[in-house]
Amino acid sequence: MNDVSQNNDAPRLDAITGKPMPKPIPASTLVIFRDQRGVAAPELLMVERSAKMAFAAGAAVFPGGRVDQPDFDYARALGHGDIEEYGARIAAIRESIEETGIAVGVDGDLNAKRVLEAREALHDGTVISDICNQFDWQLELDKLVPFTRWCPPFAEKRVFDTRFYLISHDDHDAEATVDETENYNLFWGSAATVLGRAEAGEVKIIFPTKRNLERLAQFGSFDDAAAHARQHPVVMVSPTIEKRDDGAHLCIPEGIGYPITSEPMDAVQRGFKK
């Protein structure tokens, strides 16, 4: 597992106002790869958020959401020592089932009817541990490859501390379907394709998603991306504002795997509606 470099006790201040930041909400995201035979770049599963959502309204993002207490409880029950890490992995799998109807990182009967039943049960409030017990599923948490971790520098309505994971989805017959609650559309596309659609104004992507897509666009397969992720220990990415001759830029650190590390502030798509 990659090491996460973070001082949880260090006070965090808003990058603009300098005021203390609220305690971030733990969240996790799963970047689901689908390698395409004879195609140079793998496809990634993206969901487009409802315009009514407080965070990333109308934006195309990777499946994910907040880590709930039952996720931490299940990680503890499974005997994992790092409850925060493995609770986040459980949440990433759970959220992907809820949002896309795709079950990855799960060993067991994954026929379409069974996965749909699990999704409906999750939407009705059944916890993931009960679903796994009922369906005789085992979560393959070590298949999730830690990729990055982001926490914004602004005191928005909510501040999320989000862990990102990579995973390969080999069942091309499994059909992803939108949940029609938090999201209104989903699609598969290579990282370069999604970036191109954003440049053309066809989809909206926020700053972290854009930087992560640029990083993922460097690779021709899931294995290449996973090897790269393992070579770059996960650090907390919390962008900073840098004043330059052409204006203020939102920046992330160099040397952590990202080919592009800054963007003019006036072009940045942030997560919350103003």
Side-chain angles (χ1 to χ4, degrees):
M1 184 196 310
N2 292 358
D3 293 327
V4 175
S5 175
Q6 180 196 26
N7 181 357
N8 290 320
D9 297 325
R12 300 182 68 252
L13 303 178
D14 187 291
I16 295 177
T17 67
K19 295 181 179 179
M21 296 275 287
K23 184 177 179 179
I25 299 166
S28 62
T29 288
L30 196 53
V31 183
I32 303 174
F33 280 68
R34 188 171 71 176
D35 286 337
Q36 300 293 297
R37 184 175 300 175
V39 179
E43 291 184 325
L44 311 176
L45 184 56
M46 309 291 296
V47 297
E48 290 188 88
R49 304 270 288 170
S50 166
K52 297 179 181 179
M53 301 302 295
F55 178 73
V61 298
F62 305 111
R66 70 171 63 206
V67 187
D68 294 333
Q69 186 59 47
D71 302 318
F72 293 125
D73 294 341
Y74 195 24
R76 185 176 294 106
L78 291 173
H80 294 291
D82 190 338
I83 302 304
E84 290 187 358
E85 170 66 23
Y86 282 90
R89 295 185 186 212
I90 290 168
I93 292 172
R94 173 183 55 76
E95 286 282 349
S96 295
I97 296 171
E98 290 182 25
E99 294 189 348
T100 73
I102 294 289
V104 288
V106 178
D107 180 45
D109 179 1
L110 298 179
N111 71 71
K113 183 174 183 295
R114 178 56 56 92
V115 175
L116 179 59
E117 290 174 354
R119 183 188 204 179
E120 291 175 347
L122 287 168
H123 284 165
D124 288 341
T126 305
V127 298
I128 186 66
S129 57
D130 287 349
I131 289 172
C132 289
N133 290 333
Q134 178 184 347
F135 292 167
D136 194 25
W137 283 358
Q138 287 78 44
L139 300 186
E140 300 175 302
L141 299 179
D142 288 334
K143 282 192 172 182
L144 278 66
V145 179
F147 179 58
T148 188
R149 185 173 178 180
W150 282 67
C151 193
F154 308 110
E156 306 276 15
K157 298 176 183 177
R158 302 185 188 92
V159 176
F160 292 98
D161 170 1
T162 306
R163 303 176 193 233
F164 291 74
Y165 301 95
L166 312 180
I167 196 165
S168 178
H169 178 57
D170 300 322
D171 183 3
H172 287 207
D173 292 330
E175 183 180 358
T177 56
V178 71
D179 67 1
E180 297 182 352
T181 55
E182 295 182 359
N183 311 304
Y184 72 92
N185 186 37
L186 53 74
F187 61 91
W188 292 93
S190 70
T193 296
V194 179
L195 288 167
R197 291 185 63 188
E199 185 68 23
E202 297 174 6
V203 296
K204 184 175 87 171
I205 52 176
I206 60 176
F207 183 81
T209 306
K210 188 174 184 179
R211 301 286 84 85
N212 284 321
L213 285 168
E214 291 162 348
R215 184 176 174 187
L216 293 168
Q218 301 175 102
F219 310 111
S221 69
F222 168 76
D223 287 342
D224 290 346
H228 163 86
R230 294 185 176 105
Q231 291 168 2
H232 292 80
V234 172
V235 297
M236 177 72 81
V237 181
S238 188
T240 57
I241 297 174
E242 182 179 312
K243 293 183 179 179
R244 301 180 180 177
D245 291 342
D246 60 346
H249 286 241
L250 193 61
C251 306
I252 61 175
E254 302 279 351
I256 59 173
Y258 289 89
I260 299 174
T261 57
S262 69
E263 185 173 349
M265 280 293 293
D266 58 9
V268 169
Q269 293 272 6
R270 285 164 59 182
F272 283 92
K273 294 179 287 187
K274 295 181 179 179

